[in-house]
Amino acid sequence: MPASLRKIRTVIVDDEPLARSNLSVLLRPDPEIEIVSECGSGVEAPGEIRRSKPDLLFLDVQMPECDGFDVLELLGKDVPAAVVFVTAYDQYALRAFEAGALDYLLKPFDNARFDRVLDRAKQRVARDRDRPAKLEFLTIKSAGHVAFVSLAEIDWVEAADYYAALHVGPKTHLLRRSMAELEQDLDPTVFCRIHRSTIVNLKCLRGLRLNEDGDYTVLLEDGTSLRMSRRYRKQLQSRLEVMRRNISI
């Protein structure tokens, strides 16, 4: 079936049954939407999302044991094309965008707000389906100019509010993309996330420095020092081990 005719597979994750029901009532009449699963636990959500493989995810922020941000971190590269956070607290808005959310619904929301968010989600899913399997360049628009940045030339990336700052040699480009979204376009054999706000090109890695507090600092060839989160330490170690094996072959 052509991508344009496929229904948008949708998952709802919220620990409140009434909240899940309200979203379901709003979504079911839409002929473009197919609700493939509803989940009432952040702990169960990653496994259910990987099983259901949705295009669109409505994700509650505050859930016991495992909140919405934890769910996205656990999903890694399995994050759906469009993620909409649902929250009763507007202070989570910035974190939602940093974590890769397309938009957020602030409870209680009206039908007009929901329709606008859903329309954006449909557009995002359509773009994702049309996207080439392998992306080699990013298009950067700034002050009326357009620049094309090769992914292979990026040294490291850091979160900058609603943008991702791409460090390419002495230059820095701002791209209106979330870190989680950008991570999906980067080659996992070359790039590795070392912090919630930082991704590095492993080819630029000079070494690691053990700090007094037991944490590590990542050192790049150009002298840049970057903090590494303990959450991503094992991921970096496994990537470096793969690189060493490939070099020795």
Side-chain angles (χ1 to χ4, degrees):
M1 180 183 295
S4 60
L5 298 180
R6 295 204 311 265
K7 288 194 174 185
I8 297 174
R9 295 173 58 82
T10 304
V11 168
I12 301 169
V13 178
D14 198 308
D15 65 319
E16 299 179 6
L18 181 59
R20 295 198 304 274
S21 177
N22 288 341
L23 284 170
S24 179
V25 167
L26 290 170
L27 288 166
R28 288 194 185 281
D30 194 311
E32 298 179 57
I33 298 294
E34 177 187 6
I35 299 176
V36 293
S37 182
E38 295 184 20
C39 186
S41 165
V43 175
E44 299 172 359
E48 182 60 27
I49 292 167
R50 288 192 175 98
R51 185 192 67 78
S52 302
K53 294 181 171 55
D55 306 297
L56 171 59
L57 172 64
F58 285 90
L59 180 61
D60 185 23
V61 172
Q62 285 198 308
M63 293 181 288
E65 297 183 61
C66 183
D67 67 20
F69 298 108
D70 292 330
V71 169
L72 290 192
E73 286 195 341
L74 290 169
L75 283 172
K77 294 182 72 64
D78 295 324
V79 173
V83 177
V84 176
F85 269 122
V86 184
T87 174
Y89 304 95
D90 59 2
Q91 68 262 32
Y92 291 116
L94 179 58
R95 279 194 67 194
F97 287 115
E98 287 181 345
L102 169 71
D103 212 329
Y104 71 98
L105 287 168
L106 186 62
K107 300 175 184 178
F109 50 84
D110 57 26
N111 287 7
R113 170 64 178 157
F114 178 82
D115 290 342
R116 288 195 299 272
V117 170
L118 184 58
D119 185 59
R120 288 194 66 206
K122 290 178 179 180
Q123 294 177 37
R124 170 65 63 81
V125 171
R127 288 198 302 270
D128 185 77
R129 288 175 174 177
D130 292 337
R131 187 173 57 184
K134 184 178 181 181
L135 192 66
E136 296 183 356
F137 294 90
L138 292 173
T139 303
I140 312 293
K141 297 180 181 179
S142 177
H145 298 281
V146 177
F148 297 97
V149 176
S150 169
L151 296 182
E153 294 178 353
I154 297 173
D155 299 324
W156 63 288
V157 184
E158 65 177 327
D161 291 334
Y162 299 103
Y163 294 82
L166 313 179
H167 295 271
V168 183
K171 297 182 179 180
T172 299
H173 304 275
L174 287 178
L175 180 66
R176 194 172 177 81
R177 298 277 297 280
S178 69
M179 296 292 284
E181 187 180 29
L182 182 59
E183 187 178 19
Q184 295 184 28
D185 287 332
L186 298 175
D187 185 346
T189 65
V190 177
F191 291 89
C192 181
R193 198 161 187 169
I194 62 168
H195 189 274
R196 180 173 60 87
S197 302
T198 315
I199 298 172
V200 298
N201 185 333
L202 296 177
K203 294 180 180 179
C204 299
L205 190 67
R206 188 182 72 197
L208 301 175
R209 183 179 67 222
L210 179 62
N211 304 322
E212 293 181 356
D213 59 4
D215 287 338
Y216 282 90
T217 295
V218 175
L219 306 175
L220 303 186
E221 291 289 354
D222 64 358
T224 300
S225 299
L226 302 171
R227 175 189 170 195
M228 180 168 66
S229 168
R230 294 186 182 186
R231 174 171 290 184
Y232 295 98
R233 185 187 300 175
K234 288 184 178 179
Q235 177 175 271
L236 177 61
Q237 290 173 337
S238 64
R239 298 280 179 84
L240 292 176
E241 181 62 30
V242 170
M243 289 181 67
R244 281 195 291 266
R245 288 202 301 267
N246 289 340
I247 292 172
S248 63
I249 290 175

